[in-house]
Amino acid sequence: MSPRVVVTVLHRFRGAVVAGTLAGVLTVAGAVVPAGAATAALPDPRPGGTSILGRTWTPGHDPGDLTVLVNKAHPVTPERWAPDDLVRPDVPALGEHDRLRAEAARALERLAADAQDATGHELVLASGFRSADYQRRLYARYVDAHGRRAADTFSARPGYSEHQTGLAADVAEAGTPYTDFGRTRTGRWVDAHAWRYGFVVRYPEGRQSVTGYSPEPWHLRYVGTGLTVPMHLAGTTTLEEAFGAAPAPDYAPPK
């Protein structure tokens, strides 16, 4: 194990110490965030000593930003934008949508390896990057099958999908439908530990009035540990709340 020398204590919160270390590892509430998952530095406190836990981050507007906010009120702009650093993570995939942006792919590899070590089950990538054109076809199929009102609770309209950023990953436990992910050992482990790798479970239980979508324990969004660590400590579960953005339960009516 690499030596860890604490050089800065940023905040003490409910008995937990958040610290930076020379080894590039974060110690949070007595648990060590894996070195590979801690490459992003924690944000500095605001001038005057305001705690990082009371900080609101400003979302990126460029779809290339790791912290871009994409929801029913914030579409991907330009509409057909696509990342230029897509790679295939070394994680088994269920279909052709098997690419993520490079940083998210590396983080998913670490999460998948540790999840398998902890649960004995393999984590697989069900869906990564999806183009705006593919999302248009997918959404249309859901509307045809279920109607627009129902489709809008579980599928993004074209131009409004996080998958288009290359930072969203739908995951599953091998041999289990991804829609059952929350009931699997891997799903429960990921729900508890995704933040250590820079991911948030984007559509958590009980937050549809904020996110606009029914719970999806399989849908992970990469934003980096610089945001997920303080979100975890503060008990903040949605990006809307972390960014101080208004809830987006539905699309704005056409003008």
Side-chain angles (χ1 to χ4, degrees):
M1 181 177 294
S2 303
R4 295 173 173 83
V5 181
V6 175
V7 293
T8 305
V9 175
L10 295 179
H11 191 67
R12 185 177 293 275
F13 177 68
R14 297 179 184 171
V17 175
V18 183
T21 72
L22 290 179
V25 179
L26 301 175
T27 304
V28 181
V32 175
V33 179
T39 55
L42 278 174
D44 293 330
R46 285 177 174 174
T50 303
S51 165
I52 60 170
L53 300 178
R55 177 173 178 170
T56 298
W57 283 260
T58 301
H61 298 289
D62 185 326
D65 291 346
L66 293 182
T67 56
V68 65
L69 178 62
V70 177
N71 61 18
K72 292 179 177 180
H74 295 85
V76 176
T77 306
E79 181 182 355
R80 294 180 181 273
W81 182 87
D84 60 6
D85 62 341
L86 293 170
V87 299
R88 290 178 173 82
D90 188 16
V91 174
L94 296 181
E96 62 181 6
H97 300 288
D98 58 355
R99 296 180 296 164
L100 295 171
R101 288 188 57 191
E103 186 173 334
R106 302 291 86 84
L108 185 67
E109 290 169 354
R110 294 188 292 267
L111 183 148
D114 289 351
Q116 185 166 359
D117 286 346
T119 69
H121 295 276
E122 192 173 51
L123 183 140
V124 299
L125 176 61
S127 186
F129 167 74
R130 301 200 297 244
S131 70
D133 287 341
Y134 177 82
Q135 190 68 29
R136 181 174 290 103
R137 297 192 298 272
L138 179 66
Y139 178 76
R141 290 203 301 268
Y142 286 139
V143 170
D144 288 345
H146 305 283
R148 182 178 296 272
R149 183 184 296 273
D152 280 342
T153 67
F154 62 85
S155 179
R157 296 180 186 179
Y160 290 83
S161 173
E162 284 195 324
H163 284 281
Q164 189 178 340
T165 69
L167 298 170
D170 290 345
V171 295
E173 183 178 279
T176 304
Y178 74 91
T179 51
D180 292 337
F181 186 64
R183 294 188 288 271
T184 65
R185 287 186 63 190
T186 306
R188 291 189 292 270
W189 188 92
V190 167
D191 182 64
H193 298 281
W195 64 273
R196 298 172 181 267
Y197 304 83
F199 289 98
V200 294
V201 178
R202 183 64 177 95
Y203 308 123
E205 186 79 35
R207 306 305 286 158
Q208 185 170 351
S209 62
V210 176
T211 67
Y213 293 100
S214 300
E216 293 190 0
W218 58 85
H219 182 103
L220 306 182
R221 163 65 195 278
Y222 184 77
V223 292
T225 53
L227 180 53
T228 58
V229 170
M231 280 182 66
H232 173 76
L233 290 176
T236 302
T237 59
T238 71
L239 293 184
E240 285 79 10
E241 292 164 301
F243 292 142
D250 206 348
Y251 297 96
K255 295 182 180 180

